[in-house]
Amino acid sequence: MSCIEQMKYTIHLQKTSFKEAREYIEKNSDEVYYVSPGYKIFKDYYIIGIPPIAVGAKGNALVFPYTKPCHGSFVLSIDNEDSIKEINRLRETGKGKATASVKKGNSPESSKVSLTSYEDMWKKQDLEN
């Protein structure tokens, strides 16, 4: 797939903020995983946003934020064979998985990330290399 828009999707929220998208996914998914900006889904699509970025699973549907330049951010879900593969990949890595307490309004430990600027992140990456 080269474009999300070519896939059969459902729009849950439109023209929303990153925070509202994360909260919606946390409250409306069976499982929630937190990924970093640039996380790749469906082989070609990079998720962008402000961390922590929530990606959810509801049944066989992958629920995720989608940002389209000049149009804003949306929360979409896709329910097909590729979404099942993506959910299984998230389960296998298990990184940033939220507990059931998220639905009760408690923030998962992984959402307590320190705020840094993009410049600080690039400096850190340069030091590691």
Side-chain angles (χ1 to χ4, degrees), residues 72-87:
S73 295
F74 300 78
V75 174
L76 305 179
S77 66
I78 295 179
D79 188 350
N80 63 20
E81 289 181 27
D82 290 331
S83 66
I84 295 168
K85 290 177 188 175
E86 290 299 324
I87 292 167

Side-chain angles (χ1 to χ4, degrees), residues 22-35 52-57 87 90-91 93-112:
R22 179 177 56 247
E23 290 171 350
Y24 179 88
I25 293 168
E26 290 172 344
K27 291 177 184 172
N28 294 285
S29 299
D30 300 329
E31 300 172 55
V32 178
Y33 297 87
Y34 294 92
V35 298
I53 301 173
V55 177
I87 292 167
L90 284 166
R91 286 178 182 147
T93 60
K95 293 182 181 177
K97 183 176 181 182
T99 62
S101 64
V102 170
K103 292 185 180 182
K104 296 177 186 172
N106 298 331
S107 296
E109 191 64 33
S110 63
S111 69
K112 296 177 184 174

Side-chain angles (χ1 to χ4, degrees), residues 64-76:
F64 59 97
Y66 173 68
T67 301
K68 185 174 181 181
C70 300
H71 295 280
S73 295
F74 300 78
V75 174
L76 305 179

Side-chain angles (χ1 to χ4, degrees), residues 1-127:
M1 296 286 159
S2 61
C3 184
I4 292 292
E5 292 178 1
Q6 295 175 346
M7 302 175 85
K8 184 178 177 183
Y9 59 85
T10 301
I11 299 174
H12 298 279
L13 288 179
Q14 56 186 349
K15 297 183 180 177
T16 188
S17 70
F18 293 123
K19 180 182 177 186
E20 291 168 332
R22 179 177 56 247
E23 290 171 350
Y24 179 88
I25 293 168
E26 290 172 344
K27 291 177 184 172
N28 294 285
S29 299
D30 300 329
E31 300 172 55
V32 178
Y33 297 87
Y34 294 92
V35 298
S36 299
Y39 182 81
K40 201 174 194 182
I41 60 172
F42 301 118
K43 298 181 184 175
D44 296 329
Y45 174 65
Y46 293 94
I47 293 179
I48 61 174
I50 299 171
I53 301 173
V55 177
K58 185 158 181 89
N60 291 330
L62 184 69
V63 184
F64 59 97
Y66 173 68
T67 301
K68 185 174 181 181
C70 300
H71 295 280
S73 295
F74 300 78
V75 174
L76 305 179
S77 66
I78 295 179
D79 188 350
N80 63 20
E81 289 181 27
D82 290 331
S83 66
I84 295 168
K85 290 177 188 175
E86 290 299 324
I87 292 167
N88 287 334
R89 187 165 64 100
L90 284 166
R91 286 178 182 147
E92 287 172 12
T93 60
K95 293 182 181 177
K97 183 176 181 182
T99 62
S101 64
V102 170
K103 292 185 180 182
K104 296 177 186 172
N106 298 331
S107 296
E109 191 64 33
S110 63
S111 69
K112 296 177 184 174
V113 295
S114 60
L115 299 176
T116 59
S117 69
Y118 284 107
E119 183 180 353
D120 291 340
M121 290 189 319
W122 286 111
K123 286 179 186 176
K124 181 180 177 186
Q125 191 175 35
D126 287 342
L127 291 174

